[in-house]
Amino acid sequence: MFAEIHIERGRIRAVLPNTEATVIRNETETWTVPGGHVLPGFVDNHAHIVGLGRRLTLLSLHDATSLEDCLDRIRTASTLGGWVQAMGWNQELWGVPTLPTTADLDRVRSDVPVMATRVDGHAMWCNSAALALAGISARESVLIDDDMTPVWSVVPKPTAEELEVMILAATEECARVGITEVHDMDVDVDWLEPMRLLAESGRLPVRVQSFVRAHNGQWRDWGLLPAGGEFLRICGVKLYADGALGSRGALLRHPYADAPDTYGLELLSIESIVQECRLALDAGWWSIAIHAIGDAAVRNVLDAYTVVRSWPDGGDVLLRIEHAQHVSPDDVLRMHDLHVFACVQPTHCLSDAPMAERRLGQERLADAYRWQSLISAGVRLGAGSDFPIEPPSPLAGIDAFVRRMPYGSSSTWCGDERISRLDAIRAFTSWAHATADMDHRRGTIAVGMDADLVILDRDILTCSDEELRDTCVLATFTAGKRRYPA
Ligand SMILES: [Zn+2]
């Protein structure tokens, strides 16, 4: 819509009609955008800020098209803290989708330790020098999920200055694509101090809701508790019920179609999830986010959440399932009944479609990457990108929700689960704010609401499908201040 919006101290004071432009007026400037359509600023409700910062500053293998391509880049890579640190490889893009080996890396780099994480972050490819430092004896295959822990514990941690550079690079990229708030997942205690300093000095261009690491009880070891602020709010804990589908770590109720002896990995039992939730509530946390991708993992989490809801103090805790990629029909209904948020990433569907067909087989695809069936059942949905796994653009996410057309394909995939444009926009705005209990402050353009706004070059509710893809962000305002263009 076109509008003239007046802002005072970061909040909307007036919304006046305008027929041809969007005008934003705060205490210091009047910003007129002819033809610019204003929407509430986008939320990415599941992402990794430092991960994107790493991607923008470390060696990226995201667009490598073969094993040799990866090795060429690693051969000449510079080191950070004495290691070659790379990320983003995806064997599915290599023509021959075979997992890489330790020997491959030793062939090009034996002088320094090398570690390279897979695009989904759930697998790590190391050379012998890295494995030796981590105390792992000779091993050819990549490390998956918990097996990566010994390597992570010896990879040099970035300094506070390096973290600040990463956080600024990532959040400025967010503002560029129209994001005004990020739900930052798996946050490490070391990241909070540079984040807080940026927030309190007014240099953080987007708001951050932090969900701290809880899978191994880290928040307790660190002594972290929930804490609130306008730009940085430490609001929840993050657990993992299973791994990812690509590395066959997602926990399925029936075996993998392309590996009939495997069900995936149960990273936490139902009892452990219940116990972790109890500890979190006792410490005052209001929000629990649990990664669950496979249908058995989703069921485990819902079994645990059923217990939480039965507690006298468990009625209004925010319970989230992150990804919720594969959900049995009866569990869709349970998600609604238990008031559990589905925090989904529409662009994952576009990247995963061919792989998901192999892993799950045709019959199970009806339960995969559900969107419309969740909404129809009354489940509350919020959306994100899981950057740096996918690019951070919410407009790409809205396009994925609406067209559901896998990358490199020109036809819709399992089209019954597409959703309307209005719902797609809500999933990235008001509904996403609801998943952090902030929808009373943000996500709609009205007097008294926070002035978190994005201005686009067209009306994405009425433009054609083709135009949707080419939409540009003209400006992003967080708390009434222009954050993009800077
Ligand atoms: Zn994630």
Side-chain angles (χ1 to χ4, degrees):
M1 68 170 193
F2 298 130
E4 179 169 334
I5 297 176
H6 294 197
I7 298 166
E8 253 177 42
R9 292 188 300 282
R11 302 232 178 138
I12 298 172
R13 294 292 294 178
V15 182
L16 309 172
N18 193 302
T19 52
E20 61 208 20
T22 285
V23 180
I24 307 287
R25 179 170 301 182
N26 63 20
E27 293 91 337
T28 55
E29 71 171 341
T30 299
W31 182 259
T32 302
V33 189
H37 291 263
V38 64
L39 284 177
F42 295 125
V43 182
D44 192 316
N45 97 329
H46 180 118
H48 305 273
I49 290 174
V50 170
L52 180 59
R54 282 167 57 85
R55 175 167 181 171
L56 294 170
T57 51
L58 299 186
L59 174 64
S60 166
L61 302 174
H62 292 81
D63 58 349
T65 54
S66 67
L67 175 64
E68 285 310 315
D69 188 3
C70 287
L71 293 173
D72 281 342
R73 299 181 195 197
I74 289 167
R75 183 181 287 119
T76 54
S78 52
T79 58
L80 188 73
W83 286 57
V84 172
Q85 300 185 43
M87 60 188 303
W89 57 272
N90 180 1
Q91 82 281 7
E92 301 292 332
L93 306 177
W94 294 352
V96 187
T98 313
L99 285 167
T101 67
T102 307
D104 293 327
L105 273 182
D106 285 346
R107 202 148 46 80
V108 293
R109 237 25 222 271
S110 54
D111 53 331
V112 291
V114 180
M115 67 78 106
T117 49
R118 193 180 182 278
V119 63
D120 59 10
H122 287 267
M124 186 192 278
W125 177 27
C126 296
N127 70 353
S128 296
L131 293 174
L133 284 173
I136 299 170
S137 49
R139 161 179 179 134
E140 273 309 301
S141 56
V142 298
L143 305 168
I144 291 176
D145 289 316
D146 285 348
D147 289 347
M148 304 188 292
T149 310
V151 183
W152 277 124
S153 66
V154 292
V155 174
K157 290 186 173 231
T159 64
E161 292 74 36
E162 287 164 350
L163 281 167
E164 183 180 300
V165 171
M166 289 180 189
I167 292 166
L168 274 179
T171 51
E172 282 164 7
E173 175 67 10
C174 287
R176 198 180 65 77
V177 297
I179 293 170
T180 53
E181 179 161 315
V182 176
H183 296 183
D184 195 16
M185 293 288 147
D186 298 300
V187 170
D188 188 286
V189 67
D190 292 346
W191 308 344
L192 287 172
E193 186 62 9
M195 193 85 82
R196 186 182 66 78
L197 289 172
L198 288 171
E200 293 180 359
S201 61
R203 287 187 294 155
L204 205 56
V206 302
R207 301 179 199 267
V208 178
Q209 309 278 345
S210 295
F211 287 75
V212 297
R213 289 195 184 160
H215 191 68
N216 298 306
Q218 293 96 327
W219 65 270
R220 296 193 293 279
D221 298 339
W222 296 331
L224 286 178
L225 290 174
E230 285 294 299
F231 266 71
L232 173 63
R233 179 165 162 254
I234 301 164
C235 72
V237 298
K238 165 81 188 307
L239 298 157
Y240 283 85
D242 66 347
L245 196 62
S247 49
R248 297 195 188 87
L251 185 65
L252 304 182
R253 292 170 57 219
H254 302 286
Y256 277 79
D258 59 353
D261 53 341
T262 312
Y263 287 80
L265 294 174
E266 183 181 271
L267 297 184
L268 282 177
S269 66
I270 299 166
E271 295 71 34
S272 317
I273 298 171
V274 170
Q275 194 186 356
E276 287 298 329
C277 290
R278 186 63 263 166
L279 290 166
L281 265 63
D282 286 343
W285 294 100
W286 276 94
S287 190
I288 294 168
I290 306 184
H291 165 121
I293 287 184
D295 55 354
V298 169
R299 182 159 294 184
N300 283 352
V301 174
L302 291 175
D303 286 350
Y305 281 170
T306 303
V307 177
V308 174
R309 286 291 188 229
S310 75
W311 294 335
D313 61 345
D316 51 1
V317 180
L318 296 182
L319 298 178
R320 310 172 34 139
I321 293 184
E322 305 302 311
H323 311 305
Q325 274 179 15
H326 181 208
V327 188
S328 309
D330 36 345
D331 287 331
V332 172
L333 302 175
R334 289 175 79 205
M335 286 184 80
H336 167 261
D337 294 344
L338 291 165
H339 297 282
V340 171
F341 290 105
C343 300
V344 303
Q345 298 77 35
T347 46
H348 274 335
C349 174
L350 310 194
S351 307
D352 289 359
M355 176 273 287
E357 287 195 27
R358 293 198 299 276
R359 298 286 187 271
L360 298 175
Q362 285 298 323
E363 297 92 82
R364 281 186 285 188
L365 290 183
D367 297 346
Y369 307 89
R370 290 174 173 280
W371 303 323
Q372 185 55 55
S373 55
L374 288 169
I375 293 171
S376 300
V379 176
R380 295 186 296 170
L381 200 81
S385 68
D386 209 359
F387 68 67
I389 297 173
E390 301 286 345
S393 169
L395 287 165
I398 289 168
D399 182 58
F401 266 144
V402 171
R403 294 194 308 142
R404 204 172 158 106
M405 201 174 280
Y407 297 132
S409 158
S410 53
S411 51
T412 292
W413 188 72
C414 304
D416 292 349
E417 292 289 351
R418 283 176 297 177
I419 65 175
S420 73
R421 290 201 194 179
L422 186 58
D423 283 352
I425 294 168
R426 286 171 172 150
F428 275 101
T429 56
S430 53
W431 293 355
H433 281 299
T435 68
D437 198 21
M438 291 309 293
D439 52 329
H440 62 292
R441 290 274 307 271
R442 295 165 207 147
T444 40
I445 296 177
V447 171
M449 300 295 275
D450 287 333
D452 292 7
L453 305 165
V454 61
I455 302 176
L456 306 176
D457 68 347
R458 66 201 72 189
D459 181 353
I460 58 170
L461 273 173
T462 57
C463 70
S464 74
D465 278 354
E466 272 56 45
E467 288 178 319
L468 189 58
R469 232 181 315 180
D470 300 327
T471 307
C472 289
V473 173
L474 300 177
T476 305
F477 288 77
T478 311
K481 288 208 171 66
R482 183 160 48 82
R483 314 291 171 162
Y484 171 81

